[in-house]
Amino acid sequence: MNTYIRGIFITSFAAILFGLNPLFVNYLQTSNINLLWTLFVRFIGSFLVFLFINLFKKNPIILKNNFKAYFKIFICAAFFLLTSVFLVYSYTKIPSGLTTVLHFSYPIIITLMSIQAKRDTFNFPLVISIILSICGVILVTNPSEMEFNLMGIISALLSAIVFSIYLFMLNDKDVKKIDNDVFVLFLNLFSVILLLIASIFIKDDFISIKNVNINFISSLGILGYILASAFGASLFSFGTRIIGGPIAGTIGAFEPLTAVFVGILYLNESCSKYYIFGVCLILLSTVIVSLFTARGKKARNLLHN
């Protein structure tokens, strides 16, 4: 199996793991664990997992005389943390499947960023993809319904924007030089530090654990959220380094599909025909944009060779 195909499989599995996160977050919410504690559990747990992995593999985890690498990881962590903040908040306002579908507009955004950075070119397939994506968002959000939550929708879309910036930074030449396990270790460490800084300004909400129910469901939520997030982040960053951000967007289609499936099957979320059609349009738009951009053509050439 060549490196590119391996990158596709790794990214696919990571997307499925990310798609399970709404289920675990729901378990935490039913146990009255608030947003900040949910995020703290995720990042401190992921940090400990990768600290163990790096110590077990005897990886040198100190980046000697490389302040620029630390700084770039810190910036990556800020956008990665913001992605989780917007996603978890959105989960509390709108159905998890809808949140993930809206979040999945990030392949369009990162492609536009690549065009701005002259890594890709503006073309007809991209225009079609953008139109399909907009139509899909309109259908899944169903603005004619009075019950739709504007803040939840805005939060989900903001998660797509900041995640696109994070993916864009993963292709930085200095970031690529860092061992993936070491990168994810510091990604989670800096996220924890940023959360602790944030807790200074919203101290009461962060420290409060009143009415928290620690039981089998909450324990399952904590364990599942940590493992899915830790290994999902590691595998996705590793796969993205191999196949590139826009192509990873197509493979990431497994994330909203998994989230929609989990939402309908386990979280009792409704699914109208307009919703299904909108999901299909968004997925189709990301497939088009990833396969027919300059990077997509390069990917197809690699697959044929």
Side-chain angles (χ1 to χ4, degrees):
M1 182 183 295
N2 65 40
T3 302
Y4 188 81
I5 298 297
R6 185 165 65 251
I8 289 177
F9 278 108
I10 289 171
T11 308
S12 300
F13 185 62
I16 293 173
L17 288 176
F18 280 139
L20 293 174
N21 276 336
L23 177 64
F24 301 127
V25 170
N26 178 265
Y27 287 161
L28 295 177
Q29 289 174 348
T30 56
S31 301
N32 295 320
I33 298 177
N34 63 28
L35 186 149
L36 280 177
W37 270 110
T38 298
L39 294 174
F40 187 76
V41 164
R42 168 183 178 167
F43 288 110
I44 193 65
S46 297
F47 167 73
L48 293 175
V49 167
F50 277 92
L51 179 61
F52 173 79
I53 289 174
N54 281 286
L55 292 176
F56 180 79
K57 294 172 65 176
K58 297 181 179 180
N59 285 337
I61 60 176
I62 303 300
L63 305 176
K64 295 181 179 180
N65 302 320
N66 202 343
F67 174 80
K68 184 166 68 172
Y70 281 119
F71 178 74
K72 289 187 176 182
I73 298 175
F74 184 83
I75 299 301
C76 286
F79 287 107
F80 190 65
L81 174 61
L82 280 174
T83 301
S84 298
V85 170
F86 288 131
L87 276 176
V88 174
Y89 178 78
S90 186
Y91 290 148
T92 66
K93 300 298 180 180
I94 59 178
S96 61
L98 175 57
T99 293
T100 311
V101 169
L102 294 176
H103 170 70
F104 196 63
S105 60
Y106 69 79
I108 302 290
I109 300 171
I110 192 174
T111 300
L112 293 173
M113 292 172 62
S114 296
I115 291 172
Q116 182 66 29
K118 297 182 180 180
R119 296 181 183 178
D120 278 305
T121 57
F122 199 79
N123 51 43
F124 180 72
L126 178 60
V127 175
I128 296 298
S129 298
I130 292 173
I131 293 173
L132 290 176
S133 181
I134 293 172
C135 292
V137 168
I138 291 173
L139 288 172
V140 298
T141 55
N142 195 9
S144 62
E145 290 288 336
M146 296 301 293
E147 296 181 357
F148 94 110
N149 188 287
L150 181 61
M151 291 304 298
I153 290 173
I154 291 175
S155 182
L157 292 174
L158 285 174
S159 76
I161 295 173
V162 295
F163 189 63
S164 298
I165 299 173
Y166 165 72
L167 287 182
F168 192 78
M169 294 189 66
L170 286 182
N171 285 297
D172 181 86
K173 62 180 181 180
D174 294 319
V175 172
K176 282 186 172 183
K177 292 178 183 178
I178 305 169
D179 179 85
N180 189 67
D181 290 333
V182 174
F183 171 78
V184 178
L185 172 72
F186 281 103
L187 187 73
N188 285 286
L189 174 60
F190 289 148
S191 295
V192 171
I193 293 172
L194 287 169
L195 275 175
L196 291 174
I197 293 173
S199 70
I200 296 174
F201 301 98
I202 41 180
K203 186 175 180 180
D204 292 339
D205 289 337
F206 185 75
I207 293 178
S208 177
I209 54 175
K210 294 179 180 179
N211 302 319
V212 170
N213 300 318
I214 301 300
N215 49 35
F216 175 76
I217 294 297
S218 60
S219 300
L220 180 62
I222 291 171
L223 181 62
Y225 196 35
I226 289 173
L227 294 179
S229 300
F231 291 106
S234 175
L235 294 173
F236 199 84
S237 66
F238 183 75
T240 301
R241 293 181 187 202
I242 297 173
I243 63 179
I247 308 303
T250 296
I251 307 303
F254 287 105
E255 180 182 349
L257 290 176
T258 303
V260 169
F261 177 77
V262 167
I264 295 171
L265 193 61
Y266 295 103
L267 302 179
N268 299 317
E269 295 178 356
S270 60
C271 184
S272 69
K273 59 182 180 180
Y274 299 107
Y275 183 88
I276 295 175
F277 188 52
V279 170
C280 292
L281 287 180
I282 293 175
L283 296 181
L284 177 61
S285 71
T286 56
V287 170
I288 292 174
V289 78
S290 296
L291 292 181
F292 292 95
T293 57
R295 288 171 176 257
K297 292 175 182 177
K298 180 181 178 182
R300 293 201 304 278
N301 291 333
L302 286 171
L303 286 172
H304 288 309
N305 292 333

